[in-house]
Amino acid sequence: MKCGYCGKKVNGNARYCSEYCRKKGEAKENFARKTRIPLMAVLILSALAAVVGIMLAAAGKLDEGFLSIGGGLIAAGVGMLAFPRAKRGAAAFCQIGGGLFFALGLILVLLWA
């Protein structure tokens, strides 16, 4: 079994390898529990903004469409950066993805605004 915080091998049925990892792991779980609803709200609103942008772009209003898509991507990126949800290894992947979403959204907003 692996430690729930650092990923080291743990002997027995213990969830964490040390008291330090237990405190850090429980703090991270509490943060994840408290920020679950705000993160979902941000991601749902950003998805709606992106869908509206796609519909505007399909209707021929490219400037407004790309601006809306960019705004949705920026919101999703900020949400993923502000509210990381995963364990240590996957958290870095999520934050890199959030940074990429933010950068892509910023590029769309700056190019078509």
Side-chain angles (χ1 to χ4, degrees):
M1 190 169 183
K2 291 186 175 185
C3 176
Y5 181 71
C6 68
K8 293 179 185 175
K9 284 193 174 184
V10 178
N11 295 331
N13 292 332
R15 190 167 175 195
Y16 299 103
C17 65
S18 66
E19 187 66 23
Y20 175 80
C21 284
R22 184 189 66 77
K23 286 181 182 179
K24 291 290 187 177
E26 288 176 356
K28 193 166 192 155
E29 288 173 6
N30 287 336
F31 178 75
R33 191 175 321 114
K34 289 178 184 177
T35 60
R36 180 179 59 231
I37 293 174
L39 175 65
M40 289 302 134
V42 166
L43 292 178
I44 288 171
L45 290 175
S46 65
L48 287 174
V51 168
V52 167
I54 291 169
M55 289 191 298
L56 286 171
K61 298 181 179 183
L62 291 178
D63 291 340
E64 294 87 355
F66 282 115
L67 187 63
S68 181
I69 293 170
L73 286 173
I74 288 173
V78 168
M80 290 175 71
L81 289 171
F83 306 119
R85 304 288 301 164
K87 301 278 185 199
R88 280 178 82 96
F93 179 73
C94 288
Q95 294 214 335
I96 290 170
L100 290 174
F101 277 174
F102 181 81
L104 181 62
L106 192 62
I107 289 169
L108 287 174
V109 168
L110 291 177
L111 288 179
W112 280 280

XYZ file of all heavy atoms in Angstrom:
822
model
N 0.844 -1.178 0.000
C 0.000 0.000 0.000
C 0.889 1.240 0.000
O 1.987 1.227 0.544
C -0.894 -0.042 1.237
C -1.952 0.976 1.251
S -3.106 0.596 2.594
C -4.248 1.877 2.322
N 0.413 2.325 -0.612
C 1.185 3.550 -0.683
C 0.611 4.610 0.250
O -0.589 4.626 0.523
C 1.204 4.087 -2.111
C 1.999 3.238 -3.060
C 2.093 3.899 -4.402
C 2.998 3.089 -5.313
N 3.197 3.767 -6.596
N 1.478 5.526 0.661
C 1.086 6.648 1.508
C 0.112 7.532 0.733
O 0.303 7.800 -0.447
C 2.324 7.444 1.928
S 1.958 8.926 2.887
N -0.937 7.994 1.400
C -1.947 8.826 0.759
C -1.470 10.227 0.436
O -2.144 10.952 -0.294
N -0.301 10.636 0.943
C 0.201 11.974 0.647
C 1.446 11.953 -0.227
O 1.481 12.568 -1.272
C 0.486 12.743 1.944
C 0.974 14.140 1.707
C 0.116 15.118 1.233
C 2.295 14.480 1.934
C 0.556 16.393 0.979
C 2.751 15.761 1.693
C 1.876 16.721 1.220
O 2.329 17.991 0.971
N 2.471 11.216 0.201
C 3.745 11.276 -0.527
C 3.948 10.122 -1.503
O 4.789 10.207 -2.385
C 4.917 11.338 0.446
S 5.175 9.829 1.387
N 3.202 9.038 -1.361
C 3.303 7.936 -2.300
C 4.335 6.871 -1.943
O 4.546 5.943 -2.715
N 4.994 7.005 -0.790
C 5.963 5.979 -0.384
C 5.231 4.714 0.021
O 4.059 4.731 0.394
C 6.779 6.467 0.814
C 7.689 7.622 0.511
C 8.430 8.032 1.775
C 9.266 9.260 1.555
N 9.884 9.732 2.808
N 5.939 3.587 -0.032
C 5.342 2.327 0.407
C 5.139 2.360 1.921
O 5.993 2.813 2.672
C 6.232 1.153 0.034
C 6.166 0.805 -1.426
C 6.812 -0.529 -1.681
C 6.600 -0.895 -3.132
N 7.133 -2.220 -3.412
N 3.982 1.844 2.348
C 3.620 1.813 3.763
C 3.408 0.368 4.158
O 2.743 -0.393 3.443
C 2.337 2.633 4.017
C 1.925 2.561 5.466
C 2.527 4.072 3.598
N 3.961 -0.020 5.286
C 3.760 -1.371 5.800
C 2.431 -1.439 6.540
O 2.077 -0.537 7.291
C 4.896 -1.760 6.745
C 6.222 -1.844 6.017
O 6.267 -2.143 4.832
N 7.304 -1.566 6.729
N 1.704 -2.500 6.330
C 0.447 -2.689 7.025
C -0.701 -1.970 6.347
O -0.688 -1.701 5.152
N -1.699 -1.650 7.152
C -2.910 -1.017 6.635
C -2.941 0.480 6.885
O -3.991 1.101 6.757
C -4.151 -1.665 7.263
C -4.339 -3.091 6.787
O -3.930 -3.430 5.688
N -4.953 -3.914 7.619
N -1.827 1.066 7.268
C -1.794 2.499 7.545
C -2.030 3.277 6.259
O -1.593 2.891 5.177
C -0.453 2.891 8.152
N -2.710 4.402 6.386
C -3.024 5.222 5.223
C -1.885 6.186 4.898
O -1.715 6.572 3.751
C -4.299 5.990 5.512
C -4.860 6.680 4.326
C -6.258 7.141 4.606
N -6.725 7.914 3.470
C -7.768 8.690 3.492
N -8.471 8.795 4.595
N -8.127 9.360 2.442
N -1.130 6.590 5.914
C -0.019 7.517 5.734
C 1.244 6.932 6.349
O 1.187 6.132 7.281
C -0.339 8.865 6.395
C -1.558 9.537 5.818
C -2.776 9.522 6.495
C -1.502 10.175 4.593
C -3.891 10.136 5.961
C -2.618 10.792 4.050
C -3.807 10.768 4.738
O -4.910 11.372 4.203
N 2.404 7.393 5.843
C 3.670 6.834 6.314
C 4.184 7.519 7.574
O 4.982 6.942 8.307
C 4.731 6.909 5.206
S 5.179 8.578 4.732
N 3.741 8.747 7.848
C 4.214 9.476 9.025
C 3.136 10.440 9.497
O 2.127 10.663 8.815
C 5.495 10.256 8.696
O 5.211 11.275 7.758
N 3.384 11.034 10.641
C 2.459 12.013 11.194
C 2.411 13.263 10.304
O 1.361 13.865 10.114
C 2.890 12.387 12.619
C 1.909 13.261 13.350
C 0.576 12.572 13.646
O 0.512 11.327 13.683
O -0.409 13.295 13.814
N 3.558 13.650 9.768
C 3.634 14.796 8.858
C 2.747 14.573 7.634
O 1.968 15.451 7.256
C 5.088 15.014 8.425
C 5.265 16.085 7.387
C 5.272 17.427 7.740
C 5.414 15.755 6.040
C 5.411 18.412 6.786
C 5.560 16.730 5.078
C 5.558 18.062 5.452
O 5.703 19.034 4.501
N 2.861 13.386 7.017
C 2.057 13.076 5.839
C 0.574 13.003 6.187
O -0.273 13.405 5.390
C 2.518 11.775 5.199
S 4.051 11.933 4.268
N 0.253 12.509 7.374
C -1.144 12.433 7.794
C -1.743 13.837 7.904
O -2.832 14.104 7.389
C -1.287 11.700 9.124
C -2.757 11.515 9.547
C -2.882 10.988 10.955
N -2.402 11.924 11.943
C -3.077 13.011 12.368
N -4.241 13.308 11.846
N -2.576 13.793 13.290
N -1.018 14.756 8.544
C -1.521 16.124 8.689
C -1.674 16.812 7.340
O -2.689 17.457 7.068
C -0.582 16.938 9.579
C -0.678 16.579 11.036
C 0.255 17.438 11.866
C 0.187 17.034 13.326
N 1.101 17.825 14.152
N -0.658 16.675 6.490
C -0.726 17.306 5.168
C -1.828 16.683 4.314
O -2.550 17.377 3.601
C 0.622 17.184 4.449
C 1.710 18.003 5.063
C 1.455 19.462 4.829
C 2.625 20.288 5.283
N 2.428 21.704 4.994
N -1.952 15.359 4.358
C -2.976 14.673 3.574
C -4.381 15.037 4.004
O -5.260 15.275 3.176
N -4.615 15.099 5.322
C -5.938 15.466 5.818
C -6.260 16.922 5.507
O -7.406 17.258 5.197
C -6.027 15.195 7.314
C -6.091 13.709 7.625
C -6.086 13.415 9.111
O -5.959 14.363 9.924
O -6.216 12.232 9.466
N -5.250 17.799 5.576
C -5.479 19.202 5.224
C -5.864 19.328 3.755
O -6.763 20.106 3.394
C -4.240 20.034 5.525
N -5.197 18.567 2.902
C -5.509 18.602 1.465
C -6.902 18.046 1.196
O -7.638 18.573 0.355
C -4.457 17.825 0.694
C -4.506 18.062 -0.773
C -3.263 17.566 -1.438
C -3.225 18.090 -2.844
N -1.919 18.177 -3.386
N -7.293 16.988 1.904
C -8.633 16.423 1.741
C -9.701 17.413 2.197
O -10.742 17.539 1.559
C -8.746 15.119 2.521
C -7.986 13.970 1.913
C -7.982 12.736 2.802
O -8.668 12.741 3.854
O -7.295 11.772 2.445
N -9.452 18.120 3.304
C -10.408 19.120 3.780
C -10.549 20.262 2.778
O -11.647 20.746 2.527
C -9.989 19.668 5.148
C -10.204 18.656 6.254
O -11.025 17.751 6.132
N -9.463 18.800 7.328
N -9.421 20.704 2.210
C -9.462 21.762 1.203
C -10.251 21.305 -0.018
O -11.072 22.053 -0.556
C -8.047 22.172 0.802
C -7.997 23.230 -0.264
C -8.290 24.543 0.041
C -7.679 22.896 -1.565
C -8.260 25.519 -0.936
C -7.637 23.862 -2.549
C -7.927 25.180 -2.227
N -10.013 20.074 -0.446
C -10.724 19.539 -1.613
C -12.220 19.442 -1.337
O -13.038 19.731 -2.210
C -10.153 18.184 -2.000
N -12.584 19.049 -0.132
C -13.993 18.921 0.224
C -14.671 20.298 0.248
O -15.793 20.464 -0.219
C -14.119 18.252 1.594
C -15.529 17.841 1.932
C -15.632 17.062 3.247
N -14.548 16.125 3.453
C -13.624 16.234 4.423
N -13.653 17.226 5.261
N -12.678 15.336 4.558
N -13.977 21.318 0.766
C -14.558 22.651 0.869
C -14.672 23.348 -0.485
O -15.539 24.190 -0.670
C -13.716 23.522 1.801
C -13.817 23.135 3.239
C -12.916 24.014 4.086
C -12.924 23.578 5.532
N -11.998 24.365 6.351
N -13.789 23.025 -1.417
C -13.775 23.732 -2.701
C -14.439 22.953 -3.828
O -14.380 23.388 -4.970
C -12.321 24.052 -3.105
O -11.586 22.838 -3.232
C -11.665 24.968 -2.111
N -15.084 21.866 -3.521
C -15.716 21.043 -4.551
C -16.819 21.809 -5.286
O -16.852 21.846 -6.512
C -16.278 19.770 -3.916
C -16.945 18.833 -4.881
C -17.471 17.580 -4.208
N -18.426 17.929 -3.171
C -18.366 17.472 -1.919
N -17.415 16.665 -1.556
N -19.263 17.836 -1.025
N -17.702 22.461 -4.556
C -18.824 23.158 -5.178
C -18.367 24.394 -5.957
O -18.804 24.589 -7.094
C -19.905 23.493 -4.125
C -20.526 22.175 -3.643
C -20.966 24.422 -4.699
C -21.505 22.315 -2.520
N -17.476 25.249 -5.400
C -17.010 26.388 -6.215
C -16.308 25.952 -7.498
O -16.496 26.581 -8.550
C -16.053 27.139 -5.296
C -16.426 26.743 -3.923
C -16.981 25.364 -4.030
N -15.523 24.889 -7.442
C -14.847 24.415 -8.644
C -15.853 23.940 -9.681
O -15.737 24.280 -10.863
C -13.866 23.287 -8.315
C -13.197 22.646 -9.528
C -12.306 23.660 -10.237
C -12.411 21.427 -9.125
N -16.834 23.179 -9.274
C -17.841 22.701 -10.220
C -18.616 23.867 -10.819
O -18.925 23.869 -12.012
C -18.806 21.719 -9.541
C -18.186 20.394 -9.208
S -17.541 19.592 -10.664
C -15.968 19.084 -10.054
N -18.924 24.890 -10.019
C -19.636 26.060 -10.533
C -18.796 26.779 -11.579
O -19.300 27.164 -12.648
C -20.000 27.005 -9.391
N -17.508 26.960 -11.298
C -16.618 27.635 -12.257
C -16.518 26.827 -13.546
O -16.591 27.390 -14.642
C -15.224 27.860 -11.630
C -14.198 28.224 -12.678
C -15.287 28.926 -10.566
N -16.353 25.517 -13.429
C -16.217 24.689 -14.636
C -17.506 24.633 -15.453
O -17.466 24.655 -16.690
C -15.749 23.291 -14.257
C -14.325 23.196 -13.706
C -13.991 21.767 -13.320
C -13.316 23.738 -14.693
N -18.651 24.598 -14.797
C -19.925 24.580 -15.523
C -20.143 25.910 -16.236
O -20.538 25.943 -17.410
C -21.092 24.258 -14.567
C -21.032 22.778 -14.162
C -22.443 24.585 -15.208
C -21.981 22.393 -13.058
N -19.879 27.026 -15.553
C -20.042 28.336 -16.183
C -19.068 28.535 -17.342
O -19.427 29.110 -18.375
C -19.879 29.445 -15.148
C -21.007 29.546 -14.117
C -20.677 30.595 -13.068
C -22.330 29.844 -14.789
N -17.848 28.036 -17.193
C -16.887 28.172 -18.289
C -17.288 27.296 -19.478
O -17.107 27.699 -20.626
C -15.476 27.835 -17.811
O -15.371 26.490 -17.437
N -17.837 26.131 -19.216
C -18.317 25.282 -20.307
C -19.492 25.939 -21.026
O -19.574 25.897 -22.261
C -18.716 23.904 -19.777
N -20.387 26.571 -20.276
C -21.503 27.281 -20.898
C -21.015 28.445 -21.753
O -21.517 28.677 -22.855
C -22.482 27.779 -19.839
C -23.347 26.723 -19.164
C -24.151 27.335 -18.032
C -24.262 26.062 -20.178
N -20.009 29.181 -21.258
C -19.446 30.287 -22.038
C -18.816 29.770 -23.324
O -18.963 30.383 -24.389
C -18.418 31.050 -21.209
N -18.122 28.634 -23.240
C -17.511 28.065 -24.437
C -18.568 27.592 -25.435
O -18.417 27.788 -26.645
C -16.581 26.912 -24.064
N -19.645 27.007 -24.956
C -20.722 26.555 -25.846
C -21.395 27.749 -26.520
O -21.682 27.723 -27.720
C -21.749 25.689 -25.071
C -23.016 25.463 -25.878
C -21.125 24.361 -24.683
N -21.641 28.809 -25.761
C -22.212 30.022 -26.350
C -21.264 30.578 -27.408
O -21.689 31.010 -28.482
C -22.514 31.073 -25.255
C -22.805 32.435 -25.853
C -23.675 30.610 -24.400
N -19.970 30.551 -27.121
C -18.986 31.024 -28.089
C -18.982 30.200 -29.358
O -18.862 30.738 -30.467
N -19.111 28.900 -29.218
C -19.168 28.027 -30.400
C -20.412 28.329 -31.219
O -20.359 28.396 -32.452
C -19.109 26.544 -29.973
C -17.720 26.219 -29.418
C -19.471 25.621 -31.125
C -17.622 24.879 -28.735
N -21.547 28.555 -30.553
C -22.772 28.881 -31.279
C -22.650 30.235 -31.981
O -23.111 30.401 -33.110
C -23.970 28.865 -30.334
C -24.348 27.473 -29.879
S -25.916 27.345 -29.009
C -25.644 28.350 -27.586
N -22.040 31.215 -31.324
C -21.832 32.521 -31.960
C -20.904 32.403 -33.167
O -21.142 33.027 -34.208
C -21.271 33.521 -30.956
C -22.240 34.056 -29.906
C -21.495 34.850 -28.855
C -23.323 34.894 -30.554
N -19.838 31.620 -33.017
C -18.906 31.433 -34.136
C -19.587 30.726 -35.299
O -19.346 31.059 -36.463
C -17.680 30.659 -33.680
N -20.441 29.762 -34.995
C -21.162 29.051 -36.049
C -22.177 29.958 -36.734
O -22.477 29.784 -37.922
C -21.863 27.830 -35.473
N -22.688 30.953 -36.004
C -23.660 31.884 -36.578
C -22.992 32.982 -37.388
O -23.674 33.834 -37.952
C -24.500 32.499 -35.470
N -21.679 32.987 -37.431
C -20.974 33.965 -38.240
C -20.427 35.150 -37.472
O -19.811 36.032 -38.044
N -20.643 35.188 -36.176
C -20.111 36.276 -35.346
C -18.809 35.791 -34.712
O -18.763 35.438 -33.533
C -21.122 36.675 -34.288
C -22.408 37.200 -34.876
C -23.379 37.617 -33.808
C -24.635 38.166 -34.447
N -25.585 38.650 -33.470
N -17.752 35.771 -35.505
C -16.492 35.176 -35.066
C -15.850 35.935 -33.913
O -15.315 35.317 -32.986
C -15.517 35.077 -36.239
C -15.890 34.073 -37.319
C -14.884 34.109 -38.446
C -15.989 32.690 -36.742
N -15.880 37.266 -33.952
C -15.231 38.030 -32.885
C -15.858 37.737 -31.527
O -15.155 37.436 -30.559
C -15.297 39.528 -33.181
C -14.429 39.922 -34.355
O -13.510 39.142 -34.686
O -14.669 40.987 -34.941
N -17.180 37.804 -31.456
C -17.863 37.532 -30.190
C -17.718 36.074 -29.782
O -17.587 35.751 -28.600
C -19.349 37.897 -30.285
C -19.622 39.363 -30.473
C -19.620 39.791 -31.928
O -19.306 38.959 -32.811
O -19.923 40.967 -32.191
N -17.737 35.187 -30.771
C -17.600 33.757 -30.484
C -16.247 33.413 -29.889
O -16.165 32.724 -28.877
N -15.174 33.901 -30.521
C -13.845 33.607 -29.992
C -13.611 34.292 -28.652
O -12.920 33.755 -27.789
C -12.765 33.987 -30.997
C -12.603 32.986 -32.100
C -12.893 33.330 -33.406
C -12.186 31.701 -31.824
C -12.750 32.402 -34.427
C -12.046 30.765 -32.831
C -12.330 31.117 -34.139
N -14.193 35.467 -28.455
C -14.069 36.147 -27.171
C -14.753 35.334 -26.068
O -14.211 35.172 -24.968
C -14.681 37.545 -27.270
C -14.493 38.452 -26.080
C -13.019 38.740 -25.866
C -15.268 39.744 -26.272
N -15.919 34.779 -26.367
C -16.639 33.956 -25.387
C -15.911 32.642 -25.121
O -15.812 32.203 -23.972
C -18.056 33.687 -25.883
O -18.767 32.917 -24.951
N -15.395 32.008 -26.157
C -14.625 30.770 -25.964
C -13.384 31.055 -25.135
O -13.047 30.308 -24.209
C -14.240 30.146 -27.326
C -15.473 29.652 -28.057
C -13.263 28.988 -27.125
C -15.218 29.258 -29.496
N -12.689 32.149 -25.440
C -11.499 32.528 -24.677
C -11.824 32.808 -23.221
O -11.093 32.398 -22.322
N -12.943 33.489 -22.977
C -13.356 33.746 -21.601
C -13.657 32.465 -20.842
O -13.313 32.314 -19.668
N -14.306 31.527 -21.517
C -14.585 30.241 -20.890
C -13.314 29.467 -20.575
O -13.187 28.867 -19.503
N -12.351 29.486 -21.490
C -11.085 28.792 -21.242
C -10.290 29.455 -20.118
O -9.667 28.768 -19.300
C -10.249 28.735 -22.520
C -10.717 27.750 -23.584
C -9.916 27.920 -24.860
C -10.612 26.329 -23.075
N -10.321 30.778 -20.061
C -9.639 31.478 -18.970
C -10.264 31.106 -17.635
O -9.556 30.823 -16.665
C -9.661 33.002 -19.207
C -8.720 33.376 -20.346
C -9.282 33.756 -17.940
C -8.787 34.823 -20.758
N -11.589 31.093 -17.573
C -12.271 30.737 -16.327
C -11.960 29.304 -15.913
O -11.717 29.023 -14.728
C -13.776 30.937 -16.474
N -11.946 28.381 -16.864
C -11.624 26.990 -16.540
C -10.188 26.869 -16.063
O -9.901 26.135 -15.104
C -11.844 26.100 -17.766
N -9.272 27.584 -16.713
C -7.871 27.542 -16.294
C -7.668 28.089 -14.895
O -6.960 27.500 -14.082
N -8.313 29.207 -14.595
C -8.195 29.790 -13.251
C -8.807 28.846 -12.213
O -8.250 28.663 -11.126
C -8.860 31.181 -13.214
C -9.018 31.682 -11.793
C -8.050 32.167 -14.035
N -9.926 28.225 -12.557
C -10.542 27.271 -11.630
C -9.640 26.084 -11.346
O -9.505 25.643 -10.206
N -9.002 25.562 -12.385
C -8.109 24.407 -12.191
C -6.845 24.799 -11.423
O -6.292 23.996 -10.677
C -7.753 23.799 -13.539
C -8.926 23.091 -14.194
S -8.555 22.499 -15.839
C -7.429 21.164 -15.476
N -6.376 26.033 -11.609
C -5.193 26.483 -10.875
C -5.528 26.806 -9.424
O -4.736 26.536 -8.526
C -4.584 27.709 -11.555
C -3.899 27.455 -12.890
C -3.544 28.781 -13.553
C -2.659 26.615 -12.697
N -6.693 27.383 -9.184
C -7.055 27.809 -7.838
C -7.535 26.662 -6.955
O -7.345 26.695 -5.738
C -8.135 28.885 -7.906
N -8.151 25.659 -7.555
C -8.730 24.561 -6.783
C -8.185 23.214 -7.242
O -8.902 22.415 -7.848
C -10.256 24.549 -6.916
C -10.915 25.844 -6.574
C -11.656 26.524 -7.517
C -10.800 26.397 -5.310
C -12.281 27.716 -7.217
C -11.418 27.587 -4.991
C -12.163 28.250 -5.941
N -6.922 22.896 -6.976
C -6.379 21.597 -7.399
C -7.079 20.466 -6.653
O -7.349 20.572 -5.463
C -4.903 21.682 -7.028
C -4.841 22.702 -5.946
C -5.945 23.671 -6.215
N -7.384 19.385 -7.347
C -8.185 18.317 -6.766
C -7.452 17.004 -6.609
O -7.913 16.130 -5.920
C -9.401 18.051 -7.660
C -10.261 19.211 -7.931
C -11.067 19.629 -6.767
N -11.897 18.539 -6.351
C -12.493 18.472 -5.181
N -12.336 19.426 -4.327
N -13.213 17.456 -4.849
N -6.346 16.796 -7.249
C -5.748 15.475 -7.337
C -4.636 15.284 -6.304
O -4.262 16.191 -5.580
C -5.203 15.256 -8.733
N -4.122 14.068 -6.267
C -2.974 13.747 -5.413
C -1.719 14.381 -5.993
O -1.757 15.043 -7.010
C -2.807 12.225 -5.323
C -4.009 11.512 -4.767
C -4.014 11.573 -3.277
C -5.188 10.716 -2.774
N -5.554 11.025 -1.458
N -0.578 14.134 -5.373
C 0.661 14.834 -5.716
C 1.023 14.779 -7.194
O 1.204 15.803 -7.824
C 1.807 14.271 -4.901
C 1.851 14.796 -3.516
C 2.981 14.178 -2.747
N 4.248 14.822 -2.991
C 4.768 15.755 -2.231
N 4.098 16.189 -1.207
N 5.944 16.264 -2.499
N 1.137 13.612 -7.773
C 1.568 13.504 -9.162
C 0.545 14.061 -10.137
O 0.871 14.790 -11.070
N -0.711 13.727 -9.917
C -1.756 14.183 -10.819
C -2.078 15.655 -10.607
O -2.584 16.310 -11.519
C -3.007 13.334 -10.630
N -1.792 16.206 -9.432
C -2.053 17.622 -9.186
C -1.189 18.488 -10.089
O -1.649 19.512 -10.604
C -1.802 17.963 -7.723
N 0.042 18.084 -10.302
C 0.920 18.840 -11.203
C 0.367 18.791 -12.624
O 0.356 19.808 -13.323
C 2.330 18.272 -11.161
N -0.124 17.640 -13.037
C -0.722 17.503 -14.367
C -1.951 18.402 -14.497
O -2.129 19.072 -15.518
C -1.086 16.037 -14.617
C -1.728 15.785 -15.937
C -0.983 15.833 -17.098
C -3.084 15.512 -16.025
C -1.572 15.611 -18.329
C -3.681 15.288 -17.241
C -2.923 15.334 -18.394
N -2.784 18.447 -13.474
C -3.980 19.296 -13.499
C -3.602 20.766 -13.539
O -4.230 21.558 -14.241
C -4.853 19.023 -12.279
S -5.685 17.439 -12.337
N -2.569 21.147 -12.802
C -2.176 22.554 -12.803
C -1.529 22.947 -14.121
O -1.719 24.062 -14.598
C -1.269 22.836 -11.623
C -2.041 22.673 -10.316
C -1.603 23.622 -9.247
O -0.482 24.084 -9.258
N -2.498 23.891 -8.336
N -0.798 22.041 -14.736
C -0.243 22.330 -16.065
C -1.390 22.485 -17.065
O -1.393 23.398 -17.894
C 0.741 21.224 -16.503
C 2.016 21.291 -15.664
C 1.066 21.333 -17.988
C 2.939 20.117 -15.847
N -2.376 21.611 -16.983
C -3.554 21.734 -17.850
C -4.295 23.036 -17.618
O -4.740 23.685 -18.569
N -4.439 23.446 -16.362
C -5.083 24.725 -16.059
C -4.311 25.893 -16.636
O -4.899 26.844 -17.166
N -2.990 25.823 -16.547
C -2.161 26.875 -17.129
C -2.281 26.924 -18.639
O -2.330 28.004 -19.241
N -2.370 25.761 -19.277
C -2.544 25.717 -20.730
C -3.913 26.265 -21.144
O -4.019 26.990 -22.133
C -2.358 24.295 -21.249
C -0.927 23.754 -21.195
C -0.907 22.290 -21.611
C -0.015 24.574 -22.075
N -4.960 25.911 -20.398
C -6.289 26.459 -20.676
C -6.269 27.979 -20.563
O -6.811 28.690 -21.392
C -7.336 25.900 -19.714
C -7.881 24.561 -20.090
C -8.732 23.899 -19.230
C -7.568 23.947 -21.281
C -9.260 22.669 -19.551
C -8.076 22.716 -21.621
C -8.932 22.078 -20.752
N -5.642 28.477 -19.483
C -5.569 29.918 -19.273
C -4.823 30.593 -20.420
O -5.270 31.610 -20.957
C -4.900 30.225 -17.932
C -4.817 31.688 -17.629
C -5.917 32.355 -17.121
C -3.660 32.400 -17.867
C -5.856 33.710 -16.854
C -3.583 33.750 -17.604
C -4.684 34.414 -17.093
N -3.682 30.037 -20.805
C -2.877 30.633 -21.880
C -3.624 30.613 -23.205
O -3.633 31.613 -23.941
C -1.549 29.893 -22.006
N -4.273 29.495 -23.534
C -5.029 29.406 -24.780
C -6.194 30.390 -24.780
O -6.448 31.065 -25.782
C -5.531 27.977 -25.002
C -6.327 27.733 -26.275
C -5.471 28.015 -27.507
C -6.837 26.310 -26.300
N -6.894 30.487 -23.668
C -7.997 31.444 -23.568
C -7.514 32.875 -23.695
O -8.150 33.703 -24.357
N -6.374 33.188 -23.089
C -5.820 34.530 -23.188
C -5.422 34.855 -24.627
O -5.661 35.966 -25.117
C -4.616 34.665 -22.252
C -4.093 36.063 -22.009
C -5.155 36.922 -21.350
C -2.853 36.009 -21.141
N -4.858 33.878 -25.311
C -4.497 34.080 -26.720
C -5.759 34.348 -27.552
O -5.778 35.270 -28.384
C -3.734 32.873 -27.267
C -2.330 32.816 -26.656
C -3.644 32.897 -28.785
C -1.584 31.535 -26.921
N -6.820 33.578 -27.336
C -8.059 33.798 -28.079
C -8.647 35.172 -27.799
O -9.097 35.862 -28.718
C -9.083 32.710 -27.747
C -8.827 31.333 -28.335
C -9.852 30.335 -27.801
C -8.864 31.363 -29.834
N -8.627 35.578 -26.548
C -9.183 36.884 -26.204
C -8.355 38.008 -26.800
O -8.888 38.973 -27.350
C -9.290 37.036 -24.662
C -9.571 38.464 -24.267
C -10.377 36.121 -24.122
N -7.046 37.895 -26.726
C -6.187 38.963 -27.236
C -6.205 39.048 -28.763
O -6.144 40.143 -29.326
C -4.749 38.776 -26.751
C -4.532 38.988 -25.245
C -3.086 38.712 -24.878
C -4.932 40.390 -24.831
N -6.302 37.924 -29.445
C -6.282 37.950 -30.901
C -7.604 38.409 -31.510
O -7.603 39.026 -32.581
C -5.924 36.570 -31.456
C -4.479 36.138 -31.277
C -4.283 34.742 -31.849
C -3.532 37.110 -31.957
N -8.711 38.106 -30.859
C -10.002 38.426 -31.467
C -10.787 39.496 -30.732
O -11.950 39.692 -31.011
C -10.836 37.146 -31.591
C -10.426 36.368 -32.768
C -10.780 36.585 -34.060
C -9.543 35.236 -32.795
N -10.186 35.672 -34.880
C -9.430 34.820 -34.134
C -8.846 34.538 -31.825
C -8.653 33.750 -34.524
C -8.071 33.483 -32.206
C -7.977 33.096 -33.543
N -10.172 40.191 -29.815
C -10.893 41.256 -29.094
C -10.784 42.565 -29.835
O -9.920 42.838 -30.584
C -10.353 41.404 -27.696
